[in-house]
Amino acid sequence: MSTPGEIGTEAWPLWEVFVRANRGLSHVHVGSLHAPDADMAVRNARDLYTRRNEGISIWVVPADAITTSDPDAKGAFFESPAGKNYRHAVYYTKSEGVKHL
Amino acid sequence: MTSPADLSVVDPELSAEEARFADLIAADSRIEPRDWMPDAYRKTLIRQISQHAHSEIIGMQPESNWITRAPSLKRKAILMAKVQDEAGHGLYLYSAAQTLGITREEMMDQLITGRARYSSIFNYPTPTWADMGAIGWLVDGAAICNQVPLCRASYGPYGRAMVRICKEESFHQRQGFEILLELMQGTDAQRQMAQDAVNRWYWPALQMFGPPDDQSPNSAQSMAWNIKRFSNDELRQRFVGMLVPQAEVMGVTLPDPNLRFNEETGEYDMSEIDWTEFEEVLAGRGPANAERIRRRREAHEDGAWVREAAHEYARKQAERELAGAVA
């Protein structure tokens, strides 16, 4: 699947930017930008997405390297968990009032 | 939330994708770039988001005008941070618009050839330092009022960009308030300078909310699509209600002799806005329209070698890497 914004006529490739706010946390997607190469993408991401100490680490990923599930097949693709609410703790109500459960 | 009753409203003649879009909007959910969307929805968003991006980029000019003449090193550093933020806001918004299928180059071309609109507020000159205060307090204040509801806009990338922007704008408004407050606590001449700036920016700031509701042709559709959440007049009223107590703290007078609280309506009564001036500025006959576009075009053309060099460097590096891998 092509990535939105990844249009053949854009002069520079699209990069998705992920920032780790602190040690112990995951890198989280914060947005995207266009840059001629990976080094410039990291520098631009620093200027664009971390002007207020938002992060201690940045990943940039070429948008066209990301494979996604098909949004139109959303229903079918994620069907398996439907109706399986016994996978959640709240399904089990008989232990209500019993401590540490 | 969508209840079965709401769903029954959906026209049975709609195609599956049209129905899905209608359902998402009815449920106040978000539309994402790869979802099907009506052409008119896409066009409206491209127009609105790109105009918004252009406004941020052009908005750098009236303020960068004062960077070299800021009254202290602290104020200079603050102003530079603010102008840098405006550039960042422009980039978030251009990125959001690009997810709808328009390229950065097309948008830039529309701007520098004068085919795109941007907020007419940036076509006013900034002759004194107090204008930096008035822009922060009134212009950024009006922008925040407009933009906070846009954080919930139905188009996901737009809403997400607005969340980042609103977080940063609150610093802009506060620093503007502080500039004016300090001037108001200064000499008579400084107080006069602050009052004069407020006099010049007050009405243009109120015009930023757009024409009155009964003359705003696109508003109803934008509200039906959950892009716009409140009407122009509602937001304008809300803004004036916030300004009045702030002006009292500061000691400036808002330049409207008819401004008074109406106990019955619970809102402020105000003078009629002079829309002929707004129309003039919008039509490109404002004090600084030509200057803003000329400078934007020059900056774009003068910066061409930087873009080309970066491109060429990336190409050579990739070539070298490839050669290394083969050898």
Side-chain angles (χ1 to χ4, degrees):
Chain A
M1 291 235 23
S2 71
T3 304
E6 179 65 6
I7 302 163
T9 50
E10 289 284 358
W12 290 345
L14 181 69
W15 304 79
E16 296 298 335
V17 181
F18 299 78
V19 170
R20 181 204 290 283
N22 252 313
R23 288 187 163 277
L25 298 174
S26 308
H27 284 76
V28 175
H29 183 245
V30 293
S32 57
L33 52 79
H34 290 262
D37 61 24
D39 288 344
M40 287 291 285
V42 169
R43 279 164 190 264
N44 292 352
R46 176 199 59 190
D47 293 345
L48 193 54
Y49 291 109
T50 63
R51 288 196 302 282
R52 288 177 174 77
N53 297 320
E54 286 94 338
I56 55 161
S57 166
I58 294 174
W59 288 347
V60 294
V61 180
D64 63 7
I66 295 174
T67 307
T68 77
S69 58
D70 180 356
D72 298 328
K74 182 174 168 268
F77 194 72
F78 296 103
E79 199 173 23
S80 167
K84 295 178 183 168
N85 50 352
Y86 49 81
R87 287 177 171 174
H88 296 276
V90 290
Y91 174 78
Y92 304 90
T93 53
K94 289 190 177 161
S95 51
E96 231 164 68
V98 182
K99 284 185 176 170
H100 307 301
L101 261 176
Chain B
M1 295 302 298
T2 314
S3 65
D6 289 332
L7 285 174
S8 67
V9 177
V10 174
D11 187 342
E13 297 294 305
L14 294 183
S15 69
E17 51 195 15
E18 285 170 331
R20 183 151 186 276
F21 177 84
D23 281 350
L24 285 170
I25 294 292
D28 199 3
S29 186
R30 298 292 177 266
I31 307 299
E32 294 294 343
R34 285 173 224 210
D35 291 332
W36 180 89
M37 61 188 90
D39 278 346
Y41 178 82
R42 187 184 296 276
K43 270 188 198 137
T44 297
L45 281 166
I46 288 179
R47 182 175 47 83
Q48 179 169 340
I49 301 173
S50 64
Q51 281 180 9
H52 196 157
H54 296 327
S55 301
E56 301 281 357
I57 296 300
I58 294 291
M60 294 161 77
Q61 289 187 33
E63 296 191 286
S64 61
N65 181 35
W66 278 93
I67 289 177
T68 54
R69 290 170 289 156
S72 69
L73 194 55
K74 182 183 88 168
R75 289 288 167 203
K76 189 198 280 273
I78 291 173
L79 196 54
M80 281 168 64
K82 184 173 186 290
V83 172
Q84 194 188 11
D85 273 355
E86 309 297 3
H89 297 176
L91 295 183
Y92 303 151
L93 288 162
Y94 281 133
S95 287
Q98 281 167 283
T99 64
L100 291 158
I102 187 168
T103 65
R104 181 80 53 98
E105 219 168 294
E106 281 175 80
M107 288 186 278
M108 194 48 65
D109 194 57
Q110 288 174 355
L111 178 61
I112 62 179
T113 55
R115 284 178 294 135
R117 278 186 174 172
Y118 54 87
S119 182
S120 61
I121 194 84
F122 300 115
N123 290 321
Y124 291 89
T126 49
T128 73
W129 169 249
D131 290 328
M132 297 304 98
I135 287 182
W137 181 45
L138 295 172
V139 175
D140 292 321
I144 292 171
C145 220
N146 247 332
Q147 290 169 1
V148 166
L150 288 175
C151 294
R152 295 187 292 124
S154 59
Y155 188 57
Y158 191 29
R160 291 192 285 275
M162 291 317 306
V163 169
R164 300 189 68 86
I165 290 174
C166 284
K167 257 192 235 167
E168 300 180 355
E169 286 286 351
S170 56
F171 133 61
H172 297 182
Q173 195 188 14
R174 282 191 181 203
Q175 66 88 38
F177 182 88
E178 220 181 86
I179 289 174
L180 290 178
L181 186 69
E182 279 179 16
L183 288 172
M184 288 307 289
Q185 292 168 347
T187 64
D188 280 350
Q190 286 171 329
R191 273 196 293 279
Q192 186 48 49
M193 190 199 280
Q195 182 64 57
D196 168 66
V198 170
N199 291 349
R200 281 183 289 110
W201 290 96
Y202 179 75
W203 290 110
L206 294 194
Q207 290 168 352
M208 285 173 69
F209 295 95
D213 294 346
D214 53 6
Q215 295 161 39
S216 181
N218 302 323
S219 279
Q221 181 60 73
S222 279
M223 287 178 86
W225 277 329
N226 293 340
I227 297 172
K228 200 175 164 71
R229 300 280 181 171
F230 300 98
S231 80
N232 296 351
D233 287 331
E234 275 176 305
L235 290 169
R236 190 166 14 244
Q237 260 297 334
R238 187 182 297 176
F239 182 55
V240 170
M242 291 192 269
L243 284 186
V244 171
Q246 293 171 0
E248 276 168 23
V249 171
M250 207 185 279
V252 295
T253 308
L254 297 176
D256 180 358
N258 297 315
L259 184 66
R260 62 181 58 84
F261 191 71
N262 183 329
E263 296 281 351
E264 269 172 43
T265 60
E267 292 184 333
Y268 282 88
D269 292 336
M270 49 179 123
S271 303
E272 285 283 319
I273 292 179
D274 177 8
W275 290 105
T276 50
E277 182 195 285
F278 179 77
E279 297 295 337
E280 279 294 289
V281 179
L282 204 61
R285 292 185 287 272
N289 295 53
E291 159 83 2
R292 298 286 185 250
I293 293 295
R294 183 181 61 76
R295 281 195 56 192
R296 180 59 249 167
R297 190 168 47 235
E298 278 173 11
H300 188 72
E301 285 166 4
D302 293 350
W305 71 271
V306 179
R307 295 190 294 276
E308 282 158 20
H311 190 81
E312 190 55 20
Y313 178 79
R315 194 189 60 80
K316 276 191 186 159
Q317 288 297 108
E319 222 173 59
R320 227 167 269 169
E321 238 167 71
L322 205 65
V326 172

